[in-house]
Structure formats: structure tokens, C-alpha cells
Amino acid sequence: MRLTLDDHAAFRQEARAWLAENVPADRAPVDGPASRDFALAWVSRCHQGGWAGLGWPEAYGGRGLPPENIVIWYEEYVRARAPSVLDPTFVALNHAGPTLIALGTEAQKAHHLPLILEGKVLWCQGFSEPGAGSDLASLTTRGEVRGDEIIVTGQKIWTSFADIAEYQELLIRTEPGTSRHKGLSWVICDMRAPGITIRPIRNMAGAAHFAEVFYDEVRIPLSNVVGEVNDGWRVAMSTLGFERKTAAIGTQLDLSVKVEDLIAMAEAAPGSAMAERLADLRAEAAGLRAMTYRTLFRDAATPFDGSLMRLTFAELAQRVAACAMDMLGPEALIDGPWTHDYLEAYSETIAGGTAEIQRNIIAERILGLPRE
Ligand SMILES: Cc1cc2nc3c(=O)[nH]c(=O)nc-3n(C[C@H](O)[C@H](O)[C@H](O)COP(=O)(O)OP(=O)(O)OC[C@H]3O[C@@H](n4cnc5c(N)ncnc54)[C@H](O)[C@@H]3O)c2cc1C
């Protein structure tokens, strides 16, 4: 059934009223157990209010809503200044959950999906390795199938929230002698299993939200494989595809709110010579929003459109943060939300595929230029 404009207005009103009552007043802690407690409490509250898993099928505890409603939800979400969607629950709600719904067994879904939606567990993503980032297919972490178990040995790096997560979507090489995309498996790894060592890495913003993870003969039941053994590349591509869907809209809309905050700051301090720069940022944020809506609702959208959005967002986020620093002047030296954002924004053109890789994809897959 197609929803009418009146249905959308009513939904928006419902979302706005609930958010006004429920958004936490405190700023989310940036790392460690406090960030875990804060994020899980927020998901649990959303779930109790009927606002978790909006796009998930009803059979798995969601509301089965179409993308229009999810866009409206995120528009209201950022307007209410609700916690960032890129918090420790991001992987569980936006990667792992959707991957299990699409490709998991009924037993995997029955166990994990309620825990995720009710805000009881966190997940992290173990894809990147010291020698396999942009070129993910060169990963070497080994999984040896022995009876009804896989024994995992190797290392991952840059695993966000590894130290506070219960589960990991782990990509390993299970077929000896294979290379590149063949012979990989996507497995559910219990982060408390014996043989796992987690070493947090502190970034230049002072936060330790990602980590190195070492695996020394970690035993994972074969029943934790999602999809088929040795078919992990297909599952991983499905996981990465979810990242570029509706979840991305939350972070992109949030950027528009930041630009409006900067404009309000400039209005409160007349005489600052920022008008032209702020006008450009507002126009760029509007352009990004338009591009995202078009990608979400265009039948012919391809996974490569995600690269356009990702690149535009990442570079704009850095320009917005740099503008805030210039407006703050010497005050920027005092650690505050804008300064933290500015330092964190450096990673925007690395995480989720670097700017150079996105440009390669746009050049080759969208513009049809020769492959490098
Ligand atoms: C904040 C943050 C959070 C992250 N969280 C996670 C996570 O939770 N789980 C996870 O698995 N990973 C995570 N990552 C890792 C991220 O996916 C990788 O950093 C990213 O894919 C780049 O890989 P790399 O760091 O190995 O860099 P490399 O691939 O080694 O790249 C180094 C440089 O070479 C350039 N380069 C590489 N190949 C090419 C090419 N073909 N053409 C042109 N230039 C090229 C890159 O653009 C880059 O400038 C995170 C990263 C960050 C910054």
C-alpha cells in the first residue's frame, strides 16, 4: 500500500513528539564502557518506543517501513539532536542485523536479532588487516575447518568498538591456497572467546574507539558461518552495501544541522567575515541531501552511487569542521565539541573506503574511464 502525504505528515509528527520527550540531554561519551552503556540505553529506549529497526521486517521485530519513512525519521532525528547514528550500535543495527536478515540461518536470526534490537549487545566489524584495507581481498587471517569448528589465527586492525562489543562480523580465509575474493568466509565471532587479544588504539582526537584484534587459535562453531563456507566475499559485499543505504542519510542530514549551527553562531557574532563561506557550505549540504535522496529513490541506482555520496560527504564534513575552527579562532585550542569534530573529521576520507578509492570507483564504474 502506498502512503499518502497525510500519512507522512502524521508519521513526522509522531516521530517529532517522541524524540522531544526522549532524546537524552547528555552528550554521548566518546569511547570505553561509558560509550557502550550510553549507546545501548538509547537503543533500548528507541525499541521500547517502537523506534528501533524501522526498516527491518515485522517478522524480525522491526516495523517494515519503506525508505520514505526512514528518511523522515532521520530528518526529525537530527533536528532533535539525537545521539549520532555512528555510535557503537552502528554495526549491529546497520550491518550485522541486515546481513543476518538477508543471509543468516533461522537459528542465527532467532538468537541475534532480538538482542540487537532490544539494545542488549554490540557488534564490531573485523574486515581490515594491516596488509588489507583498500585491497580487502588480500586478507590473510586464516580459518582452518576442523570437524564442526573453524580455528582462527591472524590479525585485524582499526576494528571500531572491538573492546566493548560482544560479537564481530569476521572475514577470514577458510580455503587454503586461495587468493583474492575466493575461499573467504563471513563468520560470527564471539569477542569473549579464548584466544582473542584486543589492543585499543588512541587517535589524535584522544579517543580510543578502534583497536587491533589478535586471534590465536580461536574456536568458532561452523554454525556461526553466515552464507556458505568459502562464499564470504558475497556476504561481505552485501554487508558493505547496507552501510550505504538509509543509515548514511542520518550522518548526512546531521551535517546540514551542523552548518545551520555555524550560521547561528556567525549571526550571534556580527562582523565575522564568514557569510560567503557559510552560504557555500549550506548550498553544498543541500546538494548532498538532494544527491542522497535521488540515490535512495532512483530505481536505477547502483552500488557505485554510494561512492559519490561517501566522497562528497567526507570532504564536506572536513570543510564544515575547518570552517568551525576558523570561526572559533584561538578558542578552538580549548577542547570542545567542534574541536573534537575537527580532529575526528580527518578520518572521514579514510574510513569506509578512502577518498582515492572512491574516486577510482567513480572514474571506472560511473564515468567508464579505463581501469588503473
Ligand atoms: C575511524 C575509522 C574506523 C574504522 N573502522 C573499521 C572497522 O570497524 N572495521 C574494519 O574492518 N575497518 C575499519 N576501518 C579501516 C578502514 O576500512 C581502512 O582504513 C580503509 O579501508 C583504508 O585501508 P588502509 O587503512 O589499510 O589504507 P591503505 O589501503 O593502505 O591505503 C593507504 C593509502 O594508499 C591509497 N591507496 C590504496 N590503494 C590505492 C589505489 N588503488 N589507488 C589510489 N590510491 C590508493 C589510499 O587511498 C590511502 O591514501 C576504520 C578506519 C577508520 C579511519
Side-chain angles (χ1 to χ4, degrees):
M1 188 185 67
R2 258 206 106 63
L3 297 171
T4 66
L5 285 179
D6 281 349
D7 294 329
H8 286 157
F11 180 81
R12 185 181 295 282
Q13 216 36 57
E14 196 194 333
R16 188 174 294 185
W18 187 85
L19 287 160
E21 288 285 310
N22 289 282
V23 167
D26 302 337
R27 203 175 143 79
V30 293
D31 57 15
S35 69
R36 171 193 162 81
D37 295 348
F38 185 95
L40 287 178
W42 173 235
V43 174
S44 164
R45 188 183 283 204
C46 288
H47 177 254
Q48 282 162 22
W51 295 100
L54 296 186
W56 288 23
E58 288 175 78
Y60 298 121
R63 283 177 65 176
L65 293 174
E68 296 95 292
N69 290 66
I70 294 166
V71 167
I72 293 171
W73 163 250
Y74 279 127
E75 284 175 347
E76 292 304 316
Y77 190 95
V78 297
R79 189 179 168 278
R81 289 171 166 67
S84 164
V85 292
L86 279 180
D87 75 357
T89 60
F90 182 83
V91 171
L93 286 168
N94 297 292
H95 279 190
T99 304
L100 293 180
I101 290 170
L103 299 165
T105 62
E106 285 311 315
Q108 289 165 350
K109 292 181 208 182
H111 179 73
H112 290 287
L113 298 177
L115 293 175
I116 294 174
L117 272 195
E118 289 165 20
K120 295 202 168 119
V121 296
L122 295 179
W123 282 62
C124 59
Q125 181 190 50
F127 282 15
S128 304
E129 296 183 3
S134 302
D135 186 15
L136 182 60
S138 61
L139 68 86
T140 57
T141 293
R142 205 174 65 242
E144 191 191 332
V145 180
R146 261 191 237 156
D148 56 3
E149 289 181 327
I150 302 182
I151 314 298
V152 178
T153 302
Q155 187 198 339
K156 297 288 171 178
I157 194 168
W158 314 123
T159 314
S160 298
F161 308 113
D163 56 331
I164 53 172
E166 273 81 7
Y167 295 105
Q168 183 179 51
E169 40 189 51
L170 175 62
L171 197 57
I172 49 176
R173 192 164 295 285
T174 35
E175 192 175 346
T178 55
S179 66
R180 310 298 305 157
H181 314 90
K182 299 217 173 83
L184 303 175
S185 298
W186 194 115
V187 296
I188 302 168
C189 174
D190 180 340
M191 292 301 281
R192 312 282 194 260
I196 295 184
T197 306
I198 300 167
R199 220 184 275 162
I201 305 170
R202 194 164 294 280
N203 71 11
M204 68 184 191
H209 48 58
F210 47 30
E212 291 177 285
V213 184
F214 300 87
Y215 309 79
D216 182 9
E217 305 238 318
V218 176
R219 298 157 71 130
I220 298 180
L222 258 184
S223 56
N224 279 16
V225 173
V226 175
E228 300 295 323
V229 175
N230 299 334
D231 192 25
W233 187 256
R234 187 176 67 90
V235 185
M237 288 307 103
S238 162
T239 305
L240 295 177
F242 290 120
E243 179 169 312
R244 299 182 192 120
K245 289 203 173 147
T246 40
I249 191 118
T251 47
Q252 304 192 355
L253 292 170
D254 192 41
L255 202 52
S256 300
V257 170
K258 285 192 176 130
V259 172
E260 295 311 311
D261 284 350
L262 287 182
I263 291 172
M265 218 157 91
E267 281 168 353
S272 72
M274 286 287 172
E276 205 173 310
R277 198 162 155 197
L278 287 168
D280 281 348
L281 291 178
R282 181 186 261 173
E284 286 186 79
L288 171 64
R289 266 201 329 270
M291 184 196 289
T292 306
Y293 289 173
R294 177 173 164 271
T295 305
L296 277 178
F297 297 110
R298 197 165 60 115
D299 290 339
T302 73
F304 310 122
D305 290 318
S307 291
L308 270 176
M309 291 195 304
R310 177 76 204 133
L311 178 65
T312 310
F313 166 78
E315 295 188 340
L316 181 56
Q318 290 176 345
R319 279 198 295 282
V320 170
C323 180
M325 293 296 94
D326 289 343
M327 286 175 68
L328 285 173
E331 268 185 58
L333 294 171
I334 302 164
D335 190 22
W338 285 111
T339 308
H340 185 82
D341 265 16
Y342 172 71
L343 295 172
E344 289 279 356
Y346 275 88
S347 69
E348 292 292 0
T349 44
I350 304 171
T354 67
E356 291 78 16
I357 294 299
Q358 307 297 1
R359 283 199 163 81
N360 274 353
I361 294 172
I362 293 164
E364 294 170 10
R365 308 299 187 105
I366 299 180
L367 300 176
L369 297 175
R371 291 178 77 85
E372 66 172 328

